[in-house]
Amino acid sequence: MVTAKARAVDGPDKPFRAAEIKRRDLDLHDILIEIKYAGICHSDIHTAHGEWGPVNYPLVPGHEIAGIVTDVGAEVTKYKVGDRVGVGCMVDSCGECENCRKGEEQYCLKGNVPTYAGVDKYGEPTQGGYSTHIVVTEDFAVRIPDSIELDAAAPLLCAGITTYSPLNHWGAGPGKKVAVVGMGGLGHIAVKIAHAMGAEVTVLSQTLSKKEDGLQFGAENYYATSDPETFEKLAGTFDLIINTVSAKIDINAYFSLLTLDGTLVNVGAPAEPLSVNVFSLIGHRRSFAGSMIGGIRETQEMLEFCAKHNIVPKIEVISADQIDEAYERVLASDVKYRFVIDTSTI
């Protein structure tokens, strides 16, 4: 059993503190990963603050994990010591249901095991990547291509797959007009991926403050949603809209921007319900959908795609002592565009 150093939070209004957690002994198909970098996701903040339901504190968040394999179980075949690997939002699933057999473990009918704030098959609470080490089954780790630095790879394990999966599923590509709502940690990656897929990309953000970045990342167009004329000008324009915003917005206004048979996919997860006017959908056979990360196979595919197209997130590397400040800055939209913790500082 490995004792890992970590940063934990004890309640919704508590600051992060230094902690030690036990990582289980290696089972036959487990690998031990020395975590090098861990990204900060808005989901971490929602969970740490108890906004998505009861939390079993103390909690160690973090599901954007990049590191090095330092030990393997007796029957591990996929990885060896020294391999560069990542762990995303889940660490296990039943492996037997229809969805798992299709490689859609994120939609496991018995519920996947989240990387933190869950309970594993041994009955122990899961703790995440704000720590120095983690033990996972080899089937829930992915190989990080050599061309992607570990610090930049970390956010791809959530932000990358969360945006790649719906863009892939709903066919973003040449001839398709795709809008990305929000230019934060998820949004800026969505722009890069959609552009690399060949779609015509438009950013819809509250203001034009990040317009220069958006165009540099591959967007052809950039509009401020605070300007009412935006919705009039772009009515009926987009085949696909990816909403990355984790706050309550007037979703019906965005439905009006869809073409006939267009789809708006929510990947942001606001704590409050969104109010849908059905007439915003039925008039043009529009669809409102949701998408949650991707399976392990698709996550590996996403990493290879990003390596091929030189796609990496724009990150700000911080020390473990800056986590509370980073949370405040994320909530204030004061980050370009993803915080990544250097776990050597833990």
Side-chain angles (χ1 to χ4, degrees):
M1 186 172 289
V2 171
T3 299
K5 295 180 179 179
R7 285 293 191 273
V9 64
D10 294 315
D13 302 314
K14 303 292 185 180
F16 277 87
R17 62 172 175 83
E20 289 189 347
I21 56 176
K22 300 292 186 181
R23 296 301 194 183
R24 68 174 184 264
D25 291 329
L26 295 184
D27 212 333
L28 294 177
H29 292 278
D30 284 343
I31 60 175
L32 173 65
I33 301 169
E34 181 182 351
I35 300 171
K36 296 296 186 180
Y37 296 95
I40 291 179
C41 176
H42 208 128
S43 300
D44 300 349
I45 301 174
H46 282 304
T47 307
H49 290 174
E51 294 170 351
W52 285 349
V55 177
N56 183 21
Y57 298 102
L59 173 74
V60 178
H63 58 206
E64 297 181 341
I65 298 168
I68 305 292
V69 176
T70 57
D71 199 3
V72 299
E75 295 184 8
V76 168
T77 59
K78 292 186 177 181
Y79 302 104
K80 64 182 185 304
V81 172
D83 283 350
R84 308 164 80 247
V85 295
V87 177
C89 302
M90 54 185 173
V91 291
D92 211 348
S93 71
C94 80
E96 299 172 348
C97 71
E98 180 181 1
N99 292 349
C100 285
R101 293 197 306 271
K102 289 180 178 178
E104 302 277 15
E105 301 93 346
Q106 74 276 31
Y107 302 125
C108 176
L109 294 175
K110 296 182 180 179
N112 70 65
V113 179
T115 306
Y116 62 84
V119 178
D120 65 21
K121 63 184 177 183
Y122 305 98
E124 297 297 322
T126 56
Q127 301 286 11
Y130 297 6
S131 58
T132 55
H133 296 81
I134 191 169
V135 173
V136 299
T137 178
E138 62 179 329
D139 287 338
F140 278 78
V142 289
R143 190 177 303 278
I144 296 174
D146 290 340
S147 63
I148 302 178
E149 297 294 333
L150 290 180
D151 55 356
L156 294 177
L157 277 302
C158 176
I161 187 58
T162 295
T163 52
Y164 178 89
S165 187
L167 287 166
N168 185 37
H169 181 80
W170 274 277
K176 293 292 183 73
K177 293 184 177 181
V178 174
V180 176
V181 183
M183 255 286 285
L186 289 172
H188 89 290
I189 290 293
V191 171
K192 291 187 175 191
I193 292 174
H195 173 71
M197 288 178 169
E200 179 185 318
V201 185
T202 296
V203 175
L204 303 173
S205 185
Q206 281 188 304
T207 71
L208 299 178
S209 64
K210 301 175 184 176
K211 181 176 181 178
E212 186 176 340
D213 284 350
L215 298 179
Q216 182 183 347
F217 296 153
E220 279 82 8
N221 307 290
Y222 199 111
Y223 292 92
T225 56
S226 57
D227 182 354
E229 290 186 7
T230 292
F231 291 91
E232 297 175 16
K233 183 175 182 179
L234 299 178
T237 296
F238 301 108
D239 302 291
L240 178 64
I241 299 175
I242 305 294
N243 178 26
T244 71
V245 177
S246 290
K248 189 174 183 180
I249 63 173
D250 180 6
I251 202 71
N252 299 290
Y254 292 88
F255 291 150
S256 72
L257 306 182
L258 291 170
T259 61
L260 176 67
D261 291 326
T263 301
L264 188 153
V265 184
N266 235 76
V267 296
E272 301 175 76
L274 297 176
S275 179
V276 173
N277 181 347
V278 174
F279 288 99
S280 301
L281 297 173
I282 63 177
H284 290 79
R285 204 163 55 204
R286 295 162 173 150
S287 298
F288 183 29
S291 179
M292 183 182 73
I293 58 172
I296 298 301
R297 182 178 61 225
E298 190 176 37
T299 302
Q300 187 66 62
E301 177 186 301
M302 175 274 304
L303 287 170
E304 301 297 338
F305 180 90
C306 288
K308 178 181 178 180
H309 295 278
N310 299 312
I311 295 172
V312 291
K314 189 171 183 180
I315 62 173
E316 182 176 333
V317 178
I318 63 169
S319 73
D321 293 334
Q322 295 174 286
I323 295 174
D324 290 306
E325 177 190 347
Y327 273 28
E328 292 176 5
R329 287 180 57 191
V330 170
L331 293 174
S333 298
D334 179 27
V335 53
K336 290 186 175 180
Y337 283 88
R338 203 68 158 182
F339 286 117
V340 175
I341 303 164
D342 178 351
T343 57
S344 69
T345 62
I346 292 176

